[in-house]
Structure formats: structure tokens, C-alpha cells
Amino acid sequence: MSTVNLPLSLLDLAQVGPGETVRDALAQSVELAKLADAGGYERLWYAEHHNMRAIASAAPAVLIARMGAETSRIRLGAGGVMLPNHSPLAIAEQFGTLAELYPGRIDLGLGRAPGGDQATFAALRRSPAASDAFPRDVVELQQYLRGIPTESGVVATPGAGTDVPLYILGSSLFGAQLAAYLGLPYAFASHFAPAALEQAIELYRNEFRPAQTATGLSEPYVIAAVGVIADDDPERAHDQLTITKRQRAKFLFGRGRDLTDDQLDELLDGPVGRQVDEMVRYAAVGTPEQVRRELSEFADFARADELMLAPMAYDREVWSGTARALAPAPAP
């Protein structure tokens, strides 16, 4: 039972673990969705990533449609859709469809990063310059979802009138400023890019302008993401953190090499290790009681209204056990 006095949510990357297929990973995501629904989590989000063999969440809208059929109350959403990869109309239609299928349960988090590399951008038939249009695209997307006529006269069907709640995602001051200007909730990616957390939240709260719409925010709302590994055996939990660090070092700095654990540990002993340690600066690891205490302290530090937990363990038993142990309500 959680003792963190604010809403808790989950982020699922549909991680493909060692020895797993994509089908295996997606089956695990279905089970996590059921657990999250029964366990009282506020929302469950999926992040758009491309060209990453260990992550199977390239199509958040498809995952959300599947999980909606497996759950009954939890909010489901993208955390997020990388809007530069798509036209606002296409996203309005996708999430408008989801909102009609699962009314009152769909969120749409929006990111400005491409969620992939230059080759991925080319494969998506997009240009890196598309990121420059992000603020304009967010406003256009809002218009489609609200049913406000655009200059082109195009109406999103489904989509118009669904008013799917939008969230601006980010790890820098840009997203914080945009969310504040538009009067939207802001979700900070402190689970992997924590450097600007304090400055971004301060800027967002200080510059927030109430939204001039019936469904907009009247005051700021901050979601802070944090990595978590919880197990009754604290040594096991910290062993999983070590494995997570090795995998991040391999992914970010291994240059495609098949490195041994000893070689990865050598990497982690140098500058690479300092970068990886920075990425997990706000990870809460240990027994469930220790993790809950760390989450409560982090929530106060981040001035968060909600925490988005990102289970990091590669061991599936620890991964799902973490979500179960930290659930706001006992899961069956």
C-alpha cells in the first residue's frame, strides 16, 4: 500500500528484455495494465520511441487501444507522442477515436523530440526542422480536438469535440515555458534527463497563465517522472539497478558492440559512468518502504502534483513486483 500522498501513475516503454521477443514484451505490458488498473494507479502512459530494438512502444495509440480493452477505470495515454513525427490532424483522429472508444480515460502527452535518430526521421518522411513548428502544431491539434474550425476548414472526425486533455512533456526550459503559456499541465522527464528539473518547474509555476477555455487549467499541474526498483530484498533491487546502468551504457556508448559485463563495468568506471549516474539521479531503489520514503521526498523536492513511476528492472519478476508493491491500492 502506497504512503505517497499524491497520485501515482506508471510509464511503460514495452521494454523487450533479454531473451524476449516483441510479442513477449507486449504480453507483459498487458499484464502490467491489468495490475495498474486494479492497483489504483491514476494513469498509464506509453512513450513513442523508434529504431530501438529493446523498446516496443513505437505506436502508443495502438497500445492504448489494446490496453483500453483490458482495463476499466485507469486513464491511458501517450507519454508521449513525438508531435514532429506526425501531422496534428492524424494525431487528433487517432486520439479522438480512442476518446470515443474509452470516454473520459484518454490522455495525450506531447513531446518535441523526434524519439529517434536522423535516419528514423528520414524513414518517417519528416525533417528535423519539424521540431521548430511544435508550438504551432500543439495549437492546431487543440483546435481539431475542440472542434474549432481551422483555416483549411478540415474537421477531425473522430476528434472534434472530444477535448482530449493535452500534456506538454519535456526535460528543458522550452517545454516548461510552452506549457505555462498555453495553460497546460507539464510532465518533466526526470527519470532519464534530470538536469533542468528544478529550473524548469520553477519557470513553469512562475509563468503559468490560466487557460482561457472551459476545459483548461486554472492553476499549474506538474507530473514528475522517476525511475523505481522495489523488492523485499534490497540487494536484489540494487543488483537490478547495476544491470540497468550496464544496459544504458551499452545502448548509449557501446557503438553496437557485444560487450561483456566486465567491459561495461569498465565503461561505467569512467566518464560514461558519471553520465549514466546522472540519468538515474532520481531513481528510487530498495525495499518498498525505502522506495516510498524516497518518492515522498522527491515529490516535495520537485514540487510535483503527481509522480509518474518508470519501473527500471530488467528482471520481469522485479519489474512487475515493483508496480505491485508501490500500487496506491492493494492489487489482487
Side-chain angles (χ1 to χ4, degrees), residues 248-278:
R248 293 197 180 184
K250 181 178 180 179
F251 174 74
L252 294 171
F253 307 103
R255 298 184 177 87
R257 294 173 291 168
D258 188 15
L259 300 177
T260 66
D261 287 348
D262 287 343
Q263 290 172 320
L264 289 169
D265 288 340
E266 287 182 15
L267 272 179
L268 290 171
D269 283 339
V272 167
R274 290 191 289 274
Q275 293 184 57
V276 172
D277 284 341
E278 169 63 13

Side-chain angles (χ1 to χ4, degrees), residues 46-315:
Y46 302 92
E48 177 186 350
H49 290 282
H50 298 282
N51 197 27
M52 298 181 183
R53 294 185 180 182
I55 295 178
S57 58
V62 179
L63 284 175
I64 293 166
R66 178 72 172 90
M67 304 313 171
E70 298 286 351
T71 56
S72 60
R73 50 146 293 272
I74 193 169
R75 297 191 66 88
L76 299 164
V81 161
M82 301 299 107
L83 197 52
N85 295 341
H86 314 275
S87 74
L89 175 61
I91 297 304
E93 291 170 340
Q94 290 175 22
F95 281 79
T97 300
L98 291 168
E100 298 290 4
L101 290 170
Y102 308 110
R105 295 180 56 202
I106 301 301
D107 298 329
L108 177 48
L110 301 169
R112 185 171 67 112
D117 52 22
Q118 295 274 1
T120 301
F121 244 48
L124 289 167
R125 304 296 189 267
R126 308 294 285 178
S127 161
S131 295
D132 297 337
F134 181 66
R136 184 173 68 249
D137 285 349
V138 172
V139 172
E140 182 180 342
L141 177 57
Q142 280 185 313
Q143 290 178 308
Y144 286 130
L145 293 172
R146 291 173 180 166
I148 298 173
T150 61
E151 291 183 6
S152 65
V154 174
V155 175
T157 306
T162 58
D163 262 319
V164 174
L166 301 184
Y167 299 73
I168 299 298
L169 279 57
S171 58
S172 69
L173 303 187
F174 180 91
Q177 194 166 31
L178 179 63
Y181 179 79
L182 295 176
L184 293 174
Y186 179 52
F188 190 88
S190 35
H191 63 303
F192 75 89
L197 173 64
E198 291 177 86
Q199 192 176 1
I201 300 306
E202 182 74 13
L203 185 153
Y204 170 68
R205 290 194 175 279
N206 287 343
E207 297 192 8
F208 181 86
R209 308 189 319 174
Q212 302 301 310
T213 65
T215 58
L217 293 182
S218 59
E219 56 187 35
Y221 191 86
V222 171
I223 300 175
V226 55
V228 287
I229 304 176
D231 193 86
D232 289 335
D233 182 350
E235 185 175 344
R236 187 184 188 193
H238 283 278
D239 285 345
Q240 286 297 304
L241 177 61
T242 298
I243 293 171
T244 297
K245 289 182 178 180
R246 286 174 180 159
Q247 292 301 316
R248 293 197 180 184
K250 181 178 180 179
F251 174 74
L252 294 171
F253 307 103
R255 298 184 177 87
R257 294 173 291 168
D258 188 15
L259 300 177
T260 66
D261 287 348
D262 287 343
Q263 290 172 320
L264 289 169
D265 288 340
E266 287 182 15
L267 272 179
L268 290 171
D269 283 339
V272 167
R274 290 191 289 274
Q275 293 184 57
V276 172
D277 284 341
E278 169 63 13
M279 292 176 70
V280 297
R281 186 200 308 181
Y282 296 126
V285 180
T287 66
E289 293 75 16
Q290 290 170 332
V291 171
R292 292 188 198 104
R293 183 167 59 250
E294 290 182 27
L295 290 177
S296 182
E297 293 170 356
F298 173 73
D300 291 340
F301 170 76
R303 301 168 64 191
D305 299 293
E306 179 179 333
L307 294 183
M308 179 71 64
L309 309 186
M312 298 190 301
Y314 273 76
D315 183 294

